[in-house]
Amino acid sequence: MKCYVVGLGPGAFSQMTPRAMQAIEESDVLAGYTVYVDLIKDHFPGKEVLSTPMKREVERCKLAVERAAAGSTVAMVCSGDAGVYGMAGLIYEVAQDYPPIEIEVIPGITAASAGAAVLGAPLIHDFAVISLSDLLTPWQRIEQRLALAAEGDFVICLYNPASKKRSDYLQKACDIVLRHRSAETVCGLVRNIGRAGEESSVLSLADLRETQVDMFTTVYIGNSQTCNLRGKMVTPRGYRID
Amino acid sequence: MKCYVVGLGPGAFSQMTPRAMQAIEESDVLAGYTVYVDLIKDHFPGKEVLSTPMKREVERCKLAVERAAAGSTVAMVCSGDAGVYGMAGLIYEVAQDYPPIEIEVIPGITAASAGAAVLGAPLIHDFAVISLSDLLTPWQRIEQRLALAAEGDFVICLYNPASKKRSDYLQKACDIVLRHRSAETVCGLVRNIGRAGEESSVLSLADLRETQVDMFTTVYIGNSQTCNLRGKMVTPRGYRID
């Protein structure tokens, strides 16, 4: 009668909280996107596994809620934080069509935080998180948000900056930001955060515009104060240091 | 010769990652704001403790960097995520005045994620994080960011929504958002996230405007699609459920 929605954090077990571990331990059923379930299922033997491939999110959440409504304790797992572009929202939405079940979201470290730690400290001041995926959001709306965030001098963190079908979206996003910010604005990229093959770079907005990224990359565009300190991307909060 | 900047997460040990635990274990010196250091120091016996009171951030970071430069391994601890309005940035800035030391930021769960999990799933779509503290940022800049985030229909998460000297800032912020969003917009509050006395509520923007909050509260203002589902604050990503 309970569905946990569990954020696994940025990949490695060392960044999964004890509370997340415990929720999975308590559960009878381990549900989620096949790739994430496969990453962890051997560490939690004896669970029934309910996994579905990418783009089957509604089906995945319905299966999980159905099992919880039928009396099981279910852990729906997500990469990063289940509450940031994750399954937490869809679980609540889907659950409206079933008798009430208990839902508990267990937060995890989202890519914005995890990637920021790799790059230095880009998110020390106000920031906007924007997904460049237009599967569920009109591109026009995404462009509007980019323009307003750029105008407001927010640090901008981009999720889903590209996919096979959207290879030029990051370039388009950079062009919008360039209307408000200099080409020298300090930016950063992190790929495979917390996983094997993690790589990162700190570069200018002009160079970011010319960079090809993939869906495993998180992108950071600094505000007007963000600097490159010995190769790290750092946004000052505004303290006087002398 | 190393300074870890460690995010402790939202209060309870159960939400601190193994990697954060390990960094503190490895350190000779435990540094931070007195309140946070006192919360954890008994769990890490044998460490030298360097704590400074609130508003002594620069001094605190200089002490930590000096000790690391002198050969110690130092853990500078912060509540939530050290990289979101935390000490990670200041440590990098201060370190520029010393011989190079190794700095490693260990991310933690920031209040935005932790509070969202308590309320339901408010951050499932694009969001802006804004601090209402004008100690280091001109209020005019904060107002501009609020207006642009509201215009862009971002979910808005407010840190530092009030203090003794700033009792009407949340009201002012709501008035700015109300120019772009309806008074019925679904909002949420979480106080003492992950700590004793945690409390939360889901309420309208009109009611939020009339609510007194304190500095231990994180505030969420939904976008135009955010709904109240059986008392939970949920922002849809846009999936078709039927």
Side-chain angles (χ1 to χ4, degrees), chain A residues 81-86 88-89 110 127 129 159, chain B residues 110-117 119-129 154-159 218-223 226 233-237:
Chain A
D81 183 4
V84 175
Y85 305 110
T110 186
F127 61 97
V129 178
Y159 281 51
Chain B
T110 186
S113 281
L119 290 170
L123 303 183
I124 293 299
H125 213 305
D126 304 336
F127 62 97
V129 178
F154 285 94
V155 179
I156 299 172
C157 179
L158 301 176
Y159 281 52
T218 306
V219 173
Y220 300 74
I221 300 173
N223 69 17
T226 303
M233 180 180 182
V234 178
T235 302
R237 180 82 189 271

Side-chain angles (χ1 to χ4, degrees), chain A residues 115 118-120 188-192 197-203 231-232:
Chain A
V118 173
L119 290 171
L189 295 170
V190 192
R191 188 165 178 273
N192 288 327
E198 179 183 281
E199 44 189 352
S200 66
S201 59
V202 174
L203 70 179
K232 291 289 179 176

Side-chain angles (χ1 to χ4, degrees), chain B residues 85-106:
Chain B
Y85 305 110
M87 291 296 107
L90 195 49
I91 287 282
Y92 277 109
E93 289 181 81
V94 163
Q96 300 308 301
D97 296 331
Y98 294 86
I101 58 167
E102 191 186 345
I103 297 171
E104 184 175 348
V105 181
I106 313 281

